[in-house]
Amino acid sequence: MKQLLTRLEQASGLDRISDPLQKALQAALKPRMLRDALHGVQVGHPLHPALASFTLGSMTSAAILDVLRGQEFPATLMVGGAVASAPVTVVAGANDWAELDAEQRRVGLVHLLVNTASVGFYTASLLLRLRGDHARGRLLGFAGFGLVNLGAFLGGHLAYKQGAQVNQAATQLHRISDGWHPVADISALPHGTPVSRSIGEVPVLVYRDGDRVSVLLERCGHETGPLGEGRMVDVDGDACVECPWHGSTFRLADGLVMHGPAGSDQPVLRTRVVNDVVEANLP
């Protein structure tokens, strides 16, 4: 299985489908407000996993009810719920997928195709059930259930093995020991301009606004882009930094995600000033 997944990651032939599909999705989902909503920016958490849990949960419930028999009506309701929620789930996942790197997109493409096929089976199953043909509806439902679990397996590989849409900056916190660490002399920090510093081997971004100093992890949580090389932007009157790789935007005062593709906030350390030295500690 590991070898199969490795071959899938390296299957460059899939790029002939992946690359134009990525461009088409980015063009179709061009409004930034729409992309941010699908990334889960407004809730501070990736949206696709939550939607997928509802869709897969509905499919699982339908499969259990189909095994029990005599539960045609509630099983049909569950299949209907899965079919109704699937389009939003697929669009949110496709929006995330369009911001991934090539190897992630190859696995994600198969994940997308398998799940789309599963939705096709469930749609046909729902139509049969509504016509009263529950026997064939169950068979198509079981076929769709097998496919969606294969898709879920590939989704797990994307998240846990390849780190897709995982806050990759959070792991950097474990490399910082507990306790207060000197970061910079406050007099050496420019006002209103973030600067890069480090705590041990962990790069951080230090921002001074008057007497207030904030310290963010410097590697973007989306794909570890160097925020220290990003440009400052104003979002709703707040000073923010935009990742130079994919455009994720975070508020410098508290790391709040303002624009995706990142779906969660940038980790921020606690700060204090002792004898004119800015010190930082774990959150």
Side-chain angles (χ1 to χ4, degrees):
M1 183 59 70
K2 291 181 179 179
Q3 291 179 346
L4 287 174
L5 290 171
T6 299
R7 289 179 182 177
L8 180 57
E9 292 175 2
Q10 298 173 351
S12 58
L14 291 173
D15 295 344
R16 289 177 291 181
I17 303 173
S18 175
D19 291 347
L21 180 58
Q22 180 191 34
K23 293 177 181 178
L25 283 169
Q26 289 175 336
L29 302 173
K30 193 170 184 178
R32 191 161 198 177
M33 184 178 296
L34 174 61
R35 296 202 313 272
D36 285 346
L38 291 172
H39 285 310
V41 170
Q42 287 82 354
V43 295
H45 186 283
L47 188 63
H48 177 64
L51 294 172
S53 295
F54 179 86
T55 303
L56 182 56
S58 298
M59 293 174 174
T60 303
S61 298
I64 293 172
L65 291 168
D66 280 340
V67 170
L68 294 176
R69 299 298 181 92
Q71 303 294 325
E72 286 81 3
F73 179 70
T76 300
L77 285 179
M78 289 297 100
V79 172
V83 171
S85 64
V88 182
T89 303
V90 170
V91 171
N95 185 55
D96 289 344
W97 173 86
E99 301 294 343
L100 301 178
D101 64 27
E103 288 192 357
Q104 292 171 328
R105 289 202 312 274
R106 291 165 191 162
V107 177
L109 178 63
V110 179
H111 169 76
L112 172 64
L113 294 176
V114 168
N115 283 335
T116 301
S118 173
V119 174
F121 275 105
Y122 272 101
T123 302
S125 173
L126 178 62
L127 293 175
L128 288 171
R129 293 168 194 260
L130 292 176
R131 294 172 185 168
D133 190 349
H134 292 279
R136 287 200 295 169
R138 278 194 294 268
L139 289 176
L140 290 179
F142 287 138
F145 189 61
L147 284 175
V148 80
N149 277 279
L150 173 59
F153 176 81
L154 292 172
H157 181 79
L158 267 171
Y160 296 111
K161 167 64 166 57
Q162 296 182 289
Q165 287 305 108
V166 175
N167 190 337
Q168 298 185 34
T171 58
Q172 296 294 304
L173 291 174
H174 304 302
R175 300 176 59 198
I176 299 176
S177 60
D178 195 12
W180 292 97
H181 303 271
V183 176
D185 291 340
I186 193 169
S187 59
L189 295 175
H191 289 273
T193 302
V195 295
S196 297
R197 293 290 186 270
S198 63
I199 298 176
E201 296 181 355
V202 178
V204 295
L205 199 66
V206 186
Y207 177 70
R208 181 182 180 185
D209 181 13
D211 294 330
R212 181 177 179 179
V213 180
S214 54
V215 178
L216 296 72
L217 294 188
E218 192 266 348
R219 293 295 171 176
C220 177
H222 175 242
E223 289 289 335
T224 69
L227 294 179
E229 298 176 16
R231 67 187 182 97
M232 281 192 65
V233 294
D234 182 282
V235 180
D236 298 330
D238 294 314
C240 302
V241 61
E242 181 182 82
C243 180
W245 285 6
H246 300 100
S248 294
T249 306
F250 306 95
R251 191 161 64 188
L252 284 162
D254 54 10
L256 183 71
V257 59
M258 306 298 286
H259 293 303
S264 52
D265 300 339
Q266 186 70 6
V268 176
L269 303 178
R270 289 184 291 150
T271 59
R272 70 180 185 183
V273 178
V274 178
N275 296 327
D276 293 328
V277 176
V278 177
E279 297 180 341
N281 199 348
L282 294 172

